[in-house]
Amino acid sequence: MLTDAQWAMLEPLVEQCRPKGKTSPQDLRRTLEAILWRHENGARWRAVPAELGPWWRAAQAFIRWARLGVWERLLNLVQERGIQLGMTFLDGTSVRAHQKAAGARRKGGSQAQRDHREALGRSRGGYGTKACVIADSLGRAIAFRIAPGQAHELPQAVPLLDSLPGVPTWVVADRGSTSSSFRGHVWSMGAKPAIPPQRHEAPVACPDWIYNNRNVVERLWARLKEWRAVATRYGKTASSFMGILCLAAALDWLKR
């Protein structure tokens, strides 16, 4: 699964952010390869090849680390290579949920409360999750936000901008993020918006030479969705699905 060169880059980063004493160092590479195999192929945990170790060890490690925020910290560590903020891109995508994604514990609430907590909901596209990302000028993911499938992506835009380590020159987004108040927020932080208006709205400045670069974030989603567990949500909990997004994005950083 991982070449020696890839593991040489990944091992010190994983060692920095993983909980100590849970997975022995000699099993770390094999466990991580089992986690990658499962999510790249969208298979059941029990289908993990025997040569990658016990399936339950990989499953326990992934779920535990997702709850502890290990995969988010891994994404933050790879970003120390340098985030390029000339242009930043906002985009959301709908991810259909597999039937096995339903059924997380209610924890005392109703089914509707559980689905909201776990970022699952029903839209015209079916039962799923809305995943939103902010990417840098090179099309590398900086941060994610997830919401139930029927949710609009605009409420996620400001929290995503707040996750940036600095002020970008341009904020580029499609009509899903068009809003006079959001454009005002972008101007107030010292950046310039490149967001086209809705067809019924008055024209606003949106330079084509900037907006035409939005395919950068669309290509990012295309790369991430090569992972079957990103293209289709299999995880029952929001923490597990967010962990998959961050793990896939971290490896995308290392490849670029």
Side-chain angles (χ1 to χ4, degrees), residues 88-92 132-134 143-147 152-164 171-174 176-179 181-183 185-186 189 195:
T88 56
F89 302 92
L90 289 165
D91 194 33
C132 300
V133 68
I134 187 165
F144 294 95
R145 298 273 296 183
I146 58 175
H152 199 280
E153 59 194 66
L154 182 57
Q156 313 303 327
V158 171
L160 286 172
L161 284 178
D162 291 343
S163 67
L164 295 177
V171 175
V172 186
D174 63 10
S177 297
T178 187
S179 161
S181 61
F182 179 59
R183 289 191 187 91
H185 178 80
V186 173
M189 65 184 291
I195 308 170

Side-chain angles (χ1 to χ4, degrees), residues 196-209:
Q198 297 285 1
R199 291 177 176 83
H200 63 274
E201 293 180 320
V204 296
C206 180
D208 288 342
W209 64 278

Side-chain angles (χ1 to χ4, degrees), residues 1 8 20 31 36 61 73 78-80 107 120 131 162 166 169 175 195-196 213 233 235 239 249:
M1 288 292 296
K20 300 301 184 287
T31 299
L36 296 179
R73 292 199 295 274
V78 298
Q79 289 171 3
E80 292 178 1
K107 298 180 181 178
L120 286 165
D162 291 343
T169 304
R175 286 185 173 90
I195 308 170
N213 291 286
R233 174 173 169 173
S239 61

Side-chain angles (χ1 to χ4, degrees), residues 107-130:
K107 298 180 181 178
S110 66
Q111 180 177 340
Q113 291 172 325
R114 177 194 63 191
D115 284 353
H116 181 77
R117 183 181 66 249
E118 305 302 350
L120 286 165
R122 195 169 298 280
S123 66
R124 286 184 298 176
Y127 192 61
T129 296
K130 178 64 66 66

Side-chain angles (χ1 to χ4, degrees), residues 38-61:
R38 191 263 178 172
H39 292 115
E40 287 182 348
N41 291 281
R44 297 178 303 151
W45 282 112
R46 290 177 183 271
V48 171
E51 61 267 22
L52 297 180
W55 66 267
W56 51 266
R57 179 184 295 161
Q60 287 180 353

Side-chain angles (χ1 to χ4, degrees), residues 88-93 131-144 153 172-174 211-224 252 256:
T88 56
F89 302 92
L90 289 165
D91 194 33
T93 188
C132 300
V133 68
I134 187 165
D136 73 352
S137 300
L138 301 181
R140 301 171 300 186
I142 300 172
F144 294 95
E153 59 194 66
V172 186
D174 63 10
Y211 185 73
N212 289 343
N213 291 286
R214 209 183 71 82
N215 66 86
V216 169
V217 71
E218 292 174 343
R219 294 201 304 270
L220 168 63
W221 276 123
R223 293 193 304 274
L224 295 180
D252 185 65
R256 295 174 65 79

